[in-house]
Amino acid sequence: MASSRDRKRALARAKLERQMARRAAAARRRRQIQAGIASAVALVLVVAAIVWAIVEFADKEDEPQTSTSPAPCQFEDVSVQELERNHDLKDTPKPDESMVVREGVRILTLNTNHGTIKIELDADKSPCNVANIAHLTLLKFYDNTSCHRLTTDRLYVLQCGDPSGTGSGGPTYRTQDEYLPLDDRPTYPKGIVAMANSGPNTNGSQMFLVYKDTELPPDYTIVGEIIEGMEVVEKIAADGVADGSTDGKPKTTLTIETATVSEPQERQLTSTPPSPSPTASPSGAPASSAPAKS
């Protein structure tokens, strides 16, 4: 009997051991399957993240690059000291930034006592100075003013835009320099129109019209080019300076009866005008080979 019971117990124990072994093997297989699934899911997530990053980068590459807004124009009031020293300045409100157009061209039309002069103002290269000129024409600042200076030796310009006629007049604010012909030769070719000044960033209302190629330091902001009426300027230049010198009041008076500026439009010139820009003496006249006029 004892022997029979022992055998039954041994068989039951063996059966239990086999069941436990099968259960352990099944558990191992479940763990292996789960580990495989987890690895596959992790791989899918990694691949998805890589694909997303590539697509996101490509989308950003395709997006148009937005440039920062240009700095606002600097229309600065002259100092109290200058106002006290220079009584030829005319009290003038400053332009508003909303008037500044930064592309295209505008046509400045000067109706004079000797004919019409048209100047193509370049808003691409000198937007602040072009806006300033347009502002002054709206105020009729140039109306009934005479070109006060002519130079005929090495410096070939007719200078206009001073209501006082003294060479030291202008508005009571200043505009910064813009388009300077640093690499152009000649710096100021025939036909160019540039702002006269009394040092860096002191542009006011005075401008000079170049009637013959002129070499000047590239210190004067070029605002445009004469597209009509060059013969008017050449006629005044041919008549010479009133006192017979090479620098002074023109012998023949050229009066700007009215001045207007058109709305922005496409460029009329077939080629881009050369880059110019001069700096004037304290009187606002270009300072270079010709002496400054006060």
Side-chain angles (χ1 to χ4, degrees):
M1 292 293 294
S3 171
S4 175
R5 282 197 301 272
D6 290 341
R7 283 197 298 273
K8 289 180 179 179
R9 289 174 181 168
L11 290 172
R13 190 165 47 248
K15 181 178 179 181
L16 179 60
E17 290 175 350
R18 288 195 298 273
Q19 289 175 343
M20 292 178 66
R22 285 196 297 271
R23 290 172 183 169
R28 283 196 300 274
R29 284 196 297 274
R30 284 196 301 273
R31 288 195 296 272
Q32 290 171 347
I33 292 171
Q34 290 171 348
I37 292 173
S39 298
V41 170
L43 179 61
V44 169
L45 291 175
V46 170
V47 171
I50 292 173
V51 170
W52 177 85
I54 292 173
V55 171
E56 184 72 9
F57 179 78
D59 288 344
K60 289 185 177 180
E61 284 287 296
D62 292 338
E63 289 177 1
Q65 299 299 311
T66 56
S67 57
T68 57
S69 299
C73 295
Q74 301 168 20
F75 301 118
E76 303 289 345
D77 291 324
V78 300
S79 66
V80 174
Q81 293 81 359
E82 185 173 355
L83 284 174
E84 292 175 346
R85 183 177 64 252
N86 185 357
H87 299 291
D88 292 324
L89 297 177
K90 184 177 180 180
D91 189 21
T92 311
K94 294 185 292 186
D96 186 85
E97 183 68 25
S98 63
M99 301 178 64
V100 179
V101 177
R102 297 183 180 274
E103 59 182 18
V105 298
R106 307 183 75 169
I107 306 302
L108 169 62
T109 300
L110 304 178
N111 295 306
T112 80
N113 58 328
H114 288 280
T116 300
I117 301 171
K118 289 189 177 183
I119 299 166
E120 187 177 77
L121 301 175
D122 195 333
D124 291 327
K125 294 185 173 69
S126 297
C128 300
N129 283 274
V130 169
N132 177 47
I133 293 172
H135 171 67
L136 292 173
T137 62
L138 287 175
L139 298 176
K140 301 187 182 302
F141 192 94
Y142 295 114
D143 291 5
N144 300 310
T145 63
S146 296
C147 297
H148 60 277
R149 183 188 183 195
L150 175 69
T151 61
T152 60
D153 181 22
R154 293 182 294 170
L155 180 65
Y156 305 102
V157 304
L158 177 65
Q159 194 159 323
C160 312
D162 176 5
S164 73
T166 64
S168 59
T172 48
Y173 62 85
R174 297 289 180 261
T175 308
Q176 78 260 36
D177 293 329
E178 291 181 291
Y179 181 27
L180 304 176
L182 302 177
D183 301 317
D184 293 335
R185 293 297 178 273
T187 46
Y188 297 92
K190 177 180 178 179
I192 284 298
V193 178
M195 301 303 294
N197 62 51
S198 55
N201 303 310
T202 59
N203 301 311
S205 61
Q206 294 188 40
M207 63 188 83
F208 58 88
L209 287 58
V210 183
Y211 63 88
K212 184 178 179 180
D213 289 358
T214 296
E215 285 293 352
L216 276 170
D219 301 327
Y220 305 90
T221 293
I222 290 178
V223 290
E225 183 173 5
I226 297 171
I227 57 173
E228 183 180 316
M230 175 57 78
E231 69 279 1
V232 175
V233 182
E234 291 175 327
K235 170 64 168 61
I236 302 301
D239 290 346
V241 178
D243 62 6
S245 68
T246 60
D247 188 344
K249 183 179 179 180
K251 181 178 181 180
T252 300
T253 300
L254 180 68
T255 299
I256 299 172
E257 297 171 344
T258 60
T260 59
V261 171
S262 72
E263 291 301 311
Q265 55 188 258
E266 294 183 0
R267 187 179 303 279
Q268 293 183 7
L269 297 176
T270 55
S271 60
T272 302
S275 50
S277 145
T279 302
S281 65
S283 65
S288 70
S289 55
K293 300 292 288 184
S294 58

